[in-house]
Amino acid sequence: MLSPKRHKERHRTDRIGWLRAAVLGANDGIVSTASLVLGVASASSSHASVLVAGVAGLVAGAMSMAAGEYVSVHSQADTENADLNREREELEHAPAAELRELTAIYVGRGLSYELATQVAEQLTRHDALGAHARDELGLSDTTSARPIQAALASAASFAVGAILPLAVTALAPERLLIPWVGASSISFLAILGAVAARAGGADPLVGAARVSGWGALAMAVTAGVGALFGAPV
């Protein structure tokens, strides 16, 4: 007889919410701050002006990330709640139709009609709304939207990412500012990409190349624009 006790497994889907926000925030923090520093430095600004611009970019970017992530994820949460409320009303007013709908879902997944009916009936008795949320709407506690968590993770990770090129900016000699910030930021991005890929179960080398490649392109374009507009005419 099989034991109902589940064996422990390690899955990574429970990391989706915070991992996405953290990686996005740190990546934006490094890329936007380094790009800002390189753009201002390329325009022949003083070391102090470059550093002030970088600090301002850190504060503004962190607040922007938090606000944007909160609004975005809250919109997702509102949609999820609206769908759940609709399912709750349908279960109250048309339980038989909802049971047939759940049965059809399980038949479509490969169960016989008889077994699908039994499964649908038992799950409905146990937690009807939970069964429809999971199997009809594709919602679960693991992947549900958490606006505050996403906002805090984005803001904090952006700040951490932005501090890295700022620290290099503060320590680098003025004449070597651009190569130091550029090279170190690409290295930071490669490390971030590798760590994020490993946390998500992907190839670290691919993650490192993807993140650092796009970051290098963004910094190069911004530095070019700074040099163009900062050049004497």
Side-chain angles (χ1 to χ4, degrees), residues 70-88:
Y70 180 82
V71 171
S72 174
V73 178
H74 208 295
S75 297
Q76 178 186 341
D78 290 341
T79 302
E80 293 176 358
N81 289 331
D83 282 343
L84 288 174
N85 289 334
R86 180 178 179 181
E87 283 299 318
R88 191 177 287 108

Side-chain angles (χ1 to χ4, degrees), residues 7-232:
H7 65 282
K8 293 183 179 180
E9 294 179 334
R10 290 186 61 191
H11 294 290
R12 294 180 172 88
T13 53
D14 59 341
R15 305 175 182 177
I16 290 175
W18 66 262
L19 182 60
R20 170 189 166 276
V23 171
L24 178 63
N27 181 78
D28 278 2
I30 296 172
V31 173
S32 62
T33 305
S35 297
L36 178 61
V37 166
L38 293 175
V40 175
S42 298
S44 302
S45 299
S46 67
H47 198 163
S49 298
V50 173
L51 192 57
V52 170
V55 173
L58 184 157
V59 176
M63 294 300 98
S64 176
M65 285 291 294
E69 195 72 14
Y70 180 82
V71 171
S72 174
V73 178
H74 208 295
S75 297
Q76 178 186 341
D78 290 341
T79 302
E80 293 176 358
N81 289 331
D83 282 343
L84 288 174
N85 289 334
R86 180 178 179 181
E87 283 299 318
R88 191 177 287 108
E89 292 178 1
E90 290 176 347
L91 284 168
E92 181 179 351
H93 296 102
E98 289 299 297
L99 181 61
R100 290 194 297 271
E101 186 176 33
L102 201 59
T103 300
I105 291 173
Y106 299 142
V107 169
R109 293 181 181 177
L111 298 183
S112 66
Y113 178 79
E114 293 75 15
L115 182 56
T117 302
Q118 294 177 19
V119 171
E121 289 174 346
Q122 291 188 30
L123 289 178
T124 298
R125 284 196 297 268
H126 175 68
D127 181 8
L129 182 60
H132 282 271
R134 180 179 59 253
D135 296 322
E136 181 182 349
L137 303 177
L139 303 178
S140 69
D141 291 337
T142 300
T143 58
S144 62
R146 295 179 174 85
I148 294 179
Q149 181 192 63
L152 292 177
S154 293
S157 57
F158 182 97
V160 171
I163 285 173
L164 298 176
L166 273 180
V168 176
T169 302
L171 297 174
E174 186 169 351
R175 61 187 180 84
L176 297 176
L177 182 62
I178 292 177
W180 276 37
V181 172
S184 62
S185 296
I186 292 174
S187 299
F188 295 145
L189 288 170
I191 294 171
L192 172 65
V195 171
R198 185 173 180 82
D203 187 342
L205 292 178
V206 174
R210 179 171 57 238
V211 174
S212 60
W214 282 106
L217 177 61
M219 288 184 284
V221 171
T222 310
V225 170
L228 177 65
F229 285 94

